[in-house]
Amino acid sequence: MATIELINVEKKFGSSYAVKPMNMTIHSGEFVVLLGPSGCGKTTTLRMISGLEAVTDGQILFDGKDVTWLHPSDRDIAFVFQFFALYSHMTARENIAFPLQAQGEPRDSIRKRVEEVAKMLRIEHLMNARPGGLSGGDQQRVALARALVRRPAAFLMDEPLGALDAEFREAMRAEIKRLHIEQNATTVYVTHDQIEAMAMGDRVVVMSAAVVQQNGTPAEVYHDPANLFVAKFIGSPGMNLIQGHYADGKVALPGDNRYTVPADWHTAIHEAIGRDGDIILGFRPEAAHISASGPIATTVYTTDLHGSYTMLHLELDRDTIVDVRAGRGTNYPIGTPARFDLDPAMVRFFDPKTEAAIHKGGNP
Amino acid sequence: MSSYSQPTRRRHLGDKRLIQMFIIPTVVLLILMNVFPLIYSLYLSFTEYSAINPTPPEWVGLDNYKKVLSDNLYWHNFAVTGRYALISVSLQMIVGFGLAMLLKEKFKGSGLLTTLILVPMMLSPAVVGAFWKNIFNPSFGIFDQFLGYSDPNTAPEWLGDPDLALWAVVIVDVWMWSPFVMLLSLAGLSAIPDYLYEAAAIDRASAWFQFRRITLPQVMPLLLIAVLFRTIEAFKQFDLVMGLTGGGPSLLQGTQAVNVTETVSVKLFRLAMPPQAQTGLSSAMAYVVLVIIIAISNLYIRALNKVREG
């Protein structure tokens, strides 16, 4: 299994960047997810790693070997396409056997290996069908089998579940994760679905506007977003971000609210924005809890029942609504007042000028 | 009561009559122009009859068919047509598909070039025959000069040499109709999605392996359609031969003189038209050709279905 390194890799179309110079190391056996909204450069990055797209500058190394200008067929990778890219004129069996036949492997060993992967993906009963006659999920299983059959050094997957129905997607997500664990193959996985990214990745690389916004574990990007974009993009709903003014260890919030900043944040905030300045307070819906003595006073705007919990939308003032998670036991009639408090360990602060997160341990 | 039924009845009649007004003229025309001649000629094929002779058709049973199928003279025409169809269609497929492969990738001026290549197809076969006759002329035609023969006395006489005449017709047919094969092939090639080649590159397929396992099978349905069209056309070959050689030159085969480029259609025309005007015999021959074409078409359509379904 290969370690993949990108060194200042960039892609320009004309004068506009599809991917601004980026550096990234994907360790052997790691499952890395490239996550971002459409057009952020994540698929281009994946295609550059595969060799289907040429870089405009930079270097790509596989296990320390420069492969920047190697043809895709010389990189020993497998690619799973969003729309499967199965050979429509061949049966499932022929599709899966194709990479082995292209290498001129003996017939017997091809048959054995194809049966092995078919069993692994539980598609033995579909082997004589053509892609056109298969459901989306089954087509993607065949495509995965074709990728697996050659035991490549790395798997590159471009939104492999994007074209599937919601019910298939969850089952396939589990299957791909399981395959990764069994094969322990280096995998780079592109998706725009942050739930998928969090569920599957050992590491999540969040991209936006051709730039890597954050590269970290799912827990890191969720709890410690590097900037406002990541804070908003990860989580459903995203992090609550409230514009405020910081002075004397307190943040003045809309609706005449004042939030006392936990003491361990003071130094970092002073370093970032000074003792008196605009700041953005961020917290996840589950970091807030409703309490009659809470420091932040709001009015219930609306509530949604999510089965195991209730999501409250609380209004600080006309322009500021926050999402707060509450147990489903209590009833919160619309228009009634509600106060909440924040878990001091789970509040985050952002500099509104740079949009970057303020770090407690000093800003890198 | 009547005020309700009146408009209903009129509308009901109107619909039906409208349909009849559209359909009946077509049906009548079809029966008169197609169905009647088809059935009547089938009847005539079993008779001794000449359209320019006042004697009525005389029933002779299968005699005409026996003659067409057993006489060496007619067999020669079928053999010429078969050989011509095989060579001409094969060359058209190779040249047409080759051109399509070259023009598949877009480049500056490729649109214009494609259009220019299609021009021969749009010309009238009679015109094509007339000017290729001049092109093939050994004393002033450019074809021999192009091949490097400067002396008209030693230059090959394409239309007069029994060994070359059929090839001359083939050359013109290939020149005229390869663009058609190219057009169909281009349509087939451009319909192959790029991602199949991307997948093949990832799957480490060599260029030849990609061509054999992806390109060819993907365009095969359209190639077969091109073969079908061109074969049927080749079996009906008439106009180019008439324009170029008129069926000649003649060659002594055993004790019989045969015309080396006389295709079945040309022979048929000669049999049916005055002065020969052997209407019964030519009808039988026409039916033999019809059966052959239907049989070949059937084979191709079966092959086509097989390619499509696997």
Side-chain angles (χ1 to χ4, degrees):
Chain A
M1 290 301 130
T3 297
I4 301 168
E5 277 173 273
L6 307 189
I7 303 166
N8 289 321
V9 166
E10 62 161 63
K11 179 74 185 181
K12 264 179 166 176
F13 290 110
S15 60
S16 67
Y17 278 103
V19 175
K20 287 191 179 154
M22 72 184 278
N23 289 286
M24 181 164 74
T25 304
I26 298 150
H27 298 287
S28 178
E30 205 175 17
F31 196 117
V32 170
V33 178
L34 301 179
L35 172 68
S38 56
C40 72
K42 57 193 192 303
T43 294
T44 309
T45 306
L46 190 76
R47 288 173 64 86
M48 287 194 292
I49 297 173
S50 73
L52 292 173
E53 199 84 59
V55 304
T56 25
D57 204 2
Q59 251 190 326
I60 298 172
L61 307 182
F62 280 19
D63 280 333
K65 189 178 136 231
D66 190 340
V67 299
T68 316
W69 297 105
L70 285 188
H71 190 260
S73 59
D74 297 325
R75 298 192 187 196
D76 194 18
I77 40 141
F79 199 102
V80 179
F81 296 82
Q82 181 175 7
F83 296 103
F84 324 129
L86 292 171
Y87 309 119
S88 52
H89 56 284
M90 299 181 197
T91 62
R93 186 190 310 282
E94 289 165 336
N95 266 283
I96 300 170
F98 188 90
L100 299 178
Q101 287 169 344
Q103 296 189 128
E105 287 208 10
R107 200 173 286 244
D108 274 356
S109 74
I110 291 178
R111 193 173 43 79
K112 241 179 84 186
R113 179 65 187 152
V114 168
E115 269 162 27
E116 233 172 82
V117 255
K119 205 168 164 192
M120 199 190 302
L121 284 154
R122 286 167 298 164
I123 48 172
E124 297 112 305
H125 58 295
L126 309 172
M127 295 302 271
N128 293 321
R130 291 211 182 181
L134 297 175
S135 68
D138 285 338
Q139 287 192 48
Q140 198 55 292
R141 283 193 186 90
V142 174
L144 280 170
R146 182 178 64 180
L148 279 166
V149 77
R150 219 189 59 223
R151 297 190 179 87
F155 288 100
L156 310 177
M157 304 193 188
D158 183 11
E159 307 218 18
L161 309 184
L164 302 186
D165 296 339
E167 61 172 319
F168 272 135
R169 211 174 301 159
E170 292 218 1
M172 287 298 291
R173 196 196 289 166
E175 275 180 46
I176 292 179
K177 194 160 183 180
R178 180 72 195 267
L179 279 174
H180 171 72
I181 292 164
E182 281 168 4
Q183 305 280 313
N184 193 33
T186 311
T187 305
V188 187
Y189 186 104
V190 161
T191 181
H192 66 269
D193 179 346
Q194 44 99 13
I195 297 173
E196 208 170 284
M198 304 286 283
M200 299 179 82
D202 295 327
R203 211 139 51 78
V204 177
V205 176
V206 185
M207 290 183 76
S208 165
V211 174
V212 173
Q213 305 288 336
Q214 188 169 4
N215 177 345
T217 64
E220 278 166 7
V221 296
Y222 185 77
H223 292 295
D224 293 301
N227 54 40
L228 291 177
F229 174 82
V230 179
K232 260 281 163 232
F233 190 72
I234 304 278
S236 64
M239 192 178 259
N240 294 301
L241 298 164
I242 313 174
Q243 293 273 357
H245 189 87
Y246 174 85
D248 300 329
K250 283 189 165 56
V251 179
L253 296 172
D256 286 332
N257 284 297
R258 276 182 184 282
Y259 175 69
T260 309
V261 175
D264 54 349
W265 280 96
H266 289 178
T267 335
I269 290 172
H270 293 165
E271 256 177 47
I273 62 157
R275 290 177 174 273
D276 188 329
D278 287 338
I279 198 165
I280 291 171
L281 168 69
F283 61 92
R284 294 273 172 204
E286 64 271 25
H289 47 266
I290 300 293
S291 127
S293 61
I296 302 167
T298 63
T299 313
V300 176
Y301 182 72
T302 164
T303 63
D304 327 325
L305 180 63
H306 285 248
S308 59
Y309 63 91
T310 303
M311 191 62 83
L312 307 178
H313 306 283
L314 305 176
E315 202 174 31
L316 277 76
D317 71 359
R318 281 182 60 86
D319 301 321
T320 316
I321 293 172
V322 296
D323 305 318
V324 169
R325 216 164 139 159
R328 62 193 174 95
T330 327
N331 202 15
Y332 300 91
I334 290 173
T336 56
R339 301 184 78 90
F340 68 85
D341 199 358
L342 296 172
D343 180 343
M346 289 171 79
V347 290
R348 298 290 178 264
F349 296 95
F350 298 87
D351 181 342
K353 284 198 260 331
T354 62
E355 299 199 349
I358 297 169
H359 294 277
K360 235 191 278 186
N363 298 306
Chain B
M1 192 67 197
S2 63
S3 65
Y4 284 107
S5 60
Q6 193 89 1
T8 317
R9 219 182 79 220
R10 200 187 291 157
R11 196 172 63 226
H12 180 70
L13 278 177
D15 270 3
K16 213 166 189 178
R17 184 164 296 166
L18 203 65
I19 291 169
Q20 287 168 347
M21 273 165 57
F22 275 109
I23 288 179
I24 287 175
T26 316
V27 170
V28 166
L29 216 65
L30 257 173
I31 290 174
L32 282 179
M33 311 282 288
N34 284 349
V35 179
F36 170 73
L38 195 75
I39 293 167
Y40 187 57
S41 66
L42 182 64
Y43 160 70
L44 288 181
S45 73
F46 294 105
T47 64
E48 172 77 55
Y49 177 61
S50 174
I52 53 170
N53 214 316
T55 44
E58 182 195 332
W59 186 264
V60 293
L62 289 170
D63 277 7
N64 288 331
Y65 286 95
K66 274 183 200 154
K67 194 171 176 192
V68 168
L69 292 173
S70 60
D71 192 322
N72 273 341
L73 260 174
Y74 300 110
W75 178 242
H76 164 76
N77 298 119
F78 283 107
V80 165
T81 310
R83 194 163 53 215
Y84 165 78
L86 186 72
I87 299 171
S88 187
V89 174
S90 309
L91 285 177
Q92 282 168 39
M93 294 310 291
I94 294 167
V95 173
F97 187 65
L99 283 174
M101 287 297 283
L102 291 175
L103 287 169
K104 180 176 64 148
E105 306 297 339
K106 294 274 163 280
F107 53 87
K108 212 175 169 208
S110 64
L112 180 69
L113 191 60
T114 311
T115 313
L116 286 178
I117 291 175
L118 294 179
V119 165
M121 207 171 87
M122 303 169 190
L123 300 174
S124 150
V127 174
V128 169
F131 72 69
W132 270 92
K133 207 169 174 174
N134 289 326
I135 291 173
F136 278 134
N137 188 301
S139 45
F140 58 79
I142 58 162
F143 195 75
D144 279 336
Q145 281 174 33
F146 185 72
L147 291 180
Y149 294 97
S150 49
D151 182 1
N153 295 316
T154 57
E157 213 177 314
W158 284 92
L159 299 176
D161 185 334
D163 290 334
L164 294 179
L166 191 64
W167 284 98
V169 182
V170 165
I171 288 168
V172 178
D173 199 39
V174 169
W175 173 83
M176 192 169 173
W177 288 106
S178 293
F180 172 77
V181 178
M182 180 193 79
L183 202 61
L184 282 185
S185 306
L186 265 180
L189 287 172
S190 59
I192 304 176
D194 281 342
Y195 60 71
L196 288 191
Y197 293 108
E198 291 191 342
I202 295 284
D203 290 340
R204 303 170 126 187
S206 65
W208 170 239
F209 197 80
Q210 284 183 25
F211 176 78
R212 210 159 45 88
R213 296 292 305 275
I214 295 171
T215 310
L216 261 188
Q218 289 272 338
V219 291
M220 197 47 93
L222 276 174
L223 288 185
L224 278 176
I225 286 172
V227 171
L228 174 65
F229 279 17
R230 290 315 306 152
T231 310
I232 292 174
E233 288 288 312
F235 264 89
K236 299 192 305 188
Q237 181 53 270
F238 175 75
D239 31 28
L240 274 184
V241 172
M242 289 306 276
L244 283 166
T245 63
S250 67
L251 177 71
L252 208 61
Q253 207 171 67
T255 55
Q256 286 174 318
V258 294
N259 291 323
V260 294
T261 61
E262 192 176 58
T263 56
V264 174
S265 300
V266 173
K267 181 73 175 180
L268 199 50
F269 174 76
R270 298 233 157 103
L271 273 182
M273 293 297 144
Q276 297 205 43
Q278 303 193 53
T279 312
L281 187 64
S282 61
S283 294
M285 195 167 183
Y287 265 91
V288 172
V289 176
L290 181 69
V291 168
I292 291 174
I293 289 181
I294 289 174
I296 293 174
S297 307
N298 246 308
L299 287 179
Y300 281 136
I301 288 166
R302 258 181 223 186
L304 194 62
N305 286 337
K306 209 175 153 198
V307 166
R308 283 195 176 145
E309 288 156 19

